[in-house]
Structure formats: structure tokens, C-alpha cells
Amino acid sequence: MLHVATFKAEALDGVIAAINAAGYGLTFGLHTRIDARVEQVSAAVRAGNIYVNRNQIGAVVGSQPFGGEGLSGTGPKAGGPHYLARFSRPADAAPVSQAINGLSGLSIGFAISAAEQVRAAFKPVPQSVTELPGSTGESNRLMVLPRGVVLCLGPDEASARRQAQLALAAGNGVLVIAPGAVRIANDLGADGAVIGGVDKRLRRRPSRPVWRSMRSCISAMPVRSGLGDRRWRGARAPSFR
């Protein structure tokens, strides 16, 4: 069933905001003869594939890599130049640590508020733009964007620092919750990077209820809660005062 909703031209920004607020972003289609409108909408809409003046099906491998954004899925697009590499791993890859940060002794509300403040200060910037081949008269542009705000949990200071460095190198904002997190944030945020740190001791193998609480914390970042703690440092992020 096709649903048609009309709106005034000056309400376009609000319409895009409502679309983005849904959290889903597989494909988006736009038909217009105004180049400025194409740039405006393409820059604002959070969707994995944006089609302009064409149908929204029939993506061609190598020309229109396909994959969604947000709740529609993230990661390397099928049929794109980064897809195959995700099925491999370096021969000398380090094993995944079994120690995780259960946020025990740390207010979940404070962790959510800390993540929210980093997210508010973070502005995504395209990391690369690649022109892909296509039919005559067709433009296919692949843009690589950062994931957003990355939560780095260590479990130790050296691991947390390396995680933060990798996340920042990919253009993300960072929240570190681990021993030495404030020191990491001060060091790596000296050049203006968006990073915050909350010093926190780790414990091994947290109980299942605590782990579920941490997952809820990560998925509920937009929710505002009480602070309850002041052990926070961040570069270019508002401080708790």
C-alpha cells in the first residue's frame, strides 16, 4: 500500500527530522530538479542508500553498494569495496579479552548522561568519498561516515587507550569508562577530539543482571537521567557542574 503525505516546502527540515527520528534508514528516494535540494536532503537524511531521480530497487554490485543505517543495519555495504575484508581477520589478531566492565558501583544514570553529553558535542564528518563506476549520465558516490559515539571499556588502561585511539582515528566520538579514563581523555582530547572519561575499576565476569543493565545503558543513550557522580573529564564536551 502506498501512503502519500503532503507538506509545505518550508517544512522540509521538520519532515527530514521526523524521518530520522524513526531510527530506521535503509533507503531514501528523492525526485527533484533543484541541485541545492539534492545536496540539502542528502546531507541531512540518515539512510544507508539515497537514490535521486531513479527507482529505489536494483542496486548494482560495484556501483551501488547496499546497506542500511541505524536500526536498518550498519557496517560494510554488500557489493562494495569494504565488504570482502569483513570476512577475514589478521593472522596475528589478539584474542578478545574475557574481562568486561559491568559498571558496578557506577550510577547507570550517570553513564547515560556522560554518553549523551559526548553525543551532543559530536558532529560526524565524512571520512572519505569515492566515485564509483556507473551508466552514462549516472553518478554513484560512496561515502564513509563514522559510527558515532563509541564506548571503550578497557578492561585496563592500556587497552582502553588503544580502543580510544582507534575509535578517534575513524572519526568517532569516544566515552572511556575504565581505570585511567580521565588521563586518557585529557591526553587524546588535547587536540580538540570529542572524548570523555570516567574513572572506573573493573571486575571480571559480571553477573547476568549487571550485564543486561550495561546493554540497556548503551542502547538508551538518548535518555536523560540524574548525574550522581562528578568523576568526568572531556574535551569539547560540556562539563558536569
Side-chain angles (χ1 to χ4, degrees), residues 100-108 110-115 118 150-157 159-161 163-164 174-182 184-185 195-202 214 217-218 221 231-232:
I100 60 176
N101 187 336
L103 302 182
S104 59
L106 176 67
S107 164
I108 295 297
F110 176 76
I112 293 173
S113 297
V118 174
V150 176
L151 180 62
C152 299
L153 298 175
D156 52 69
E157 181 174 348
S159 298
R161 182 179 294 271
Q163 293 163 5
V174 170
L175 173 61
V176 183
I177 301 180
V182 171
I184 294 172
I195 178 172
V198 178
D199 281 332
K200 171 69 179 61
R201 290 187 176 277
L202 301 177
M214 184 175 74
C217 162
I218 296 173
M221 283 183 180
R231 295 173 296 166
W232 163 270

Side-chain angles (χ1 to χ4, degrees), residues 84-95:
L84 184 60
R86 293 303 296 268
F87 291 95
S88 64
R89 60 179 299 178
D92 58 348

Side-chain angles (χ1 to χ4, degrees), residues 73-241:
T74 58
K77 293 176 175 290
H82 307 113
Y83 190 53
L84 184 60
R86 293 303 296 268
F87 291 95
S88 64
R89 60 179 299 178
D92 58 348
V96 177
S97 172
Q98 294 300 311
I100 60 176
N101 187 336
L103 302 182
S104 59
L106 176 67
S107 164
I108 295 297
F110 176 76
I112 293 173
S113 297
E116 186 180 60
Q117 295 222 13
V118 174
R119 192 169 62 88
F122 174 71
K123 305 298 180 185
V125 176
Q127 300 299 292
S128 66
V129 179
T130 305
E131 294 292 339
L132 299 177
S135 304
T136 301
E138 181 179 81
S139 174
N140 296 294
R141 184 182 304 168
L142 176 63
M143 185 178 298
V144 176
L145 296 170
R147 288 293 299 270
V149 176
V150 176
L151 180 62
C152 299
L153 298 175
D156 52 69
E157 181 174 348
S159 298
R161 182 179 294 271
R162 181 57 177 161
Q163 293 163 5
Q165 289 172 333
L166 292 173
L168 290 173
N172 297 288
V174 170
L175 173 61
V176 183
I177 301 180
V182 171
R183 181 164 47 248
I184 294 172
N186 288 335
D187 292 346
L188 301 184
D191 61 352
V194 179
I195 178 172
V198 178
D199 281 332
K200 171 69 179 61
R201 290 187 176 277
L202 301 177
R203 68 188 185 88
R204 286 187 172 273
R205 300 184 182 279
S207 61
R208 188 179 298 272
V210 173
W211 173 239
R212 285 203 299 266
S213 295
M214 184 175 74
R215 293 181 62 184
S216 298
C217 162
I218 296 173
S219 63
M221 283 183 180
V223 179
R224 181 172 294 279
S225 302
L227 302 184
D229 198 317
R230 292 180 180 273
R231 295 173 296 166
W232 163 270
R233 298 292 185 275
R236 286 178 52 193
S239 59
F240 296 117
R241 298 194 184 276

